[in-house]
Amino acid sequence: MSEGAAGRKRGRYAATDAKREGIVTAARAVFEREGLDGASLRAIAAEAGYTPAALYFHFDSKEALYAEVLGRSIATLQEAVDMAVAAASTSAERFSAAALAFFDFYAANPRDLDLGFYLFRGGMRPHGLGRERDRALNEALEGTLAPIRAAALALGADAAQADLIMTDAFAHASGVLLLAHTRRIRMFGTPPRRLMERHVETELDRLLRR
């Protein structure tokens, strides 16, 4: 292949990647406005400035697009958790860092919380994106919580206890975040992060007493 032909091929790949990025960005905007149920590939295509047929070259359904948008959100969350854990030096610090980084990411990025809980138009109704997509996304989300489990194991919990502690941290963070997001927690006058900190401190105290 000549240098000119190779350059043209790279240019086509770059254009294709740019188009895909534009579609994903447009999809997120539409999902934020309309939710998964209210969104359509036609609306996403219009937002991106393409024809619906152009979208099918990259994504076969709006569920595939939602999975892509949500997967990117979870990947960003994973980076935040990994960075916080890497800065910690002890198992107790890693436990606290992982749990609070998870909480802090969604507290600072409420639209990502909406994505994860399908809180756009339609409310907290159960949704599925397809068995394989659901499985992959669930595994990715669990990966963001895995440092909590690993730290609990390092602090003396057995596997079953570590699983419970990880799940409890997720449930506690999710509940506080949703209350904060809907502003229901204001009536109590307690900062949401303090509630998460208290949960982490309580769990650490239990672990350290083992």
Side-chain angles (χ1 to χ4, degrees):
M1 182 182 295
S2 68
E3 184 176 339
R8 288 192 294 273
K9 187 174 183 179
R10 288 194 297 271
R12 287 195 297 272
Y13 285 148
T16 298
D17 289 344
K19 180 179 289 188
R20 181 183 176 89
E21 290 302 309
I23 291 169
V24 173
T25 299
R28 173 156 181 153
V30 173
F31 288 135
E32 288 183 358
R33 289 199 307 267
E34 306 295 339
L36 179 58
D37 287 343
S40 68
L41 286 180
R42 185 174 297 277
I44 293 169
E47 182 81 18
Y50 298 120
T51 64
L55 265 66
Y56 281 109
F57 179 78
H58 299 276
F59 300 96
D60 61 10
S61 66
K62 68 178 181 180
E63 287 78 14
L65 260 169
Y66 199 97
E68 177 71 16
V69 172
L70 180 52
R72 292 184 181 204
S73 171
I74 295 173
T76 304
L77 166 61
Q78 184 74 69
E79 291 174 2
V81 171
D82 288 347
M83 185 178 301
V85 171
S89 57
T90 68
S91 296
E93 288 176 355
R94 284 188 285 274
F95 182 90
S96 179
L100 292 176
F102 182 93
F103 180 89
D104 288 342
F105 175 81
Y106 282 123
N109 300 281
R111 303 308 274 173
D112 288 87
L113 182 71
D114 292 339
L115 270 174
F117 284 89
Y118 303 89
L119 288 181
F120 301 121
R121 183 187 299 181
M124 290 185 67
R125 289 164 37 193
H127 288 276
L129 302 175
R131 181 176 299 175
E132 287 305 309
R133 295 188 190 107
D134 289 342
R135 179 191 58 77
L137 289 167
N138 287 337
E139 288 179 356
L141 180 60
E142 187 171 346
T144 69
L145 297 162
I148 300 173
R149 183 181 188 277
L153 287 169
L155 289 167
D158 62 31
Q161 291 166 340
D163 286 339
L164 180 60
I165 290 167
M166 178 184 71
T167 305
D168 194 14
F170 172 68
H172 194 88
S174 300
V176 174
L177 285 162
L178 289 172
L179 286 171
H181 194 38
T182 57
R183 302 183 180 181
R184 301 298 188 199
I185 208 166
R186 288 186 174 184
M187 61 185 289
F188 299 106
T190 303
R193 195 178 196 273
R194 180 62 196 124
L195 292 173
M196 188 63 193
E197 290 170 345
R198 186 174 184 276
H199 174 77
V200 171
E201 291 164 2
T202 300
E203 287 293 349
L204 271 177
D205 182 63
R206 291 172 181 165
L207 283 166
L208 294 172
R209 287 174 181 270
R210 293 179 186 276

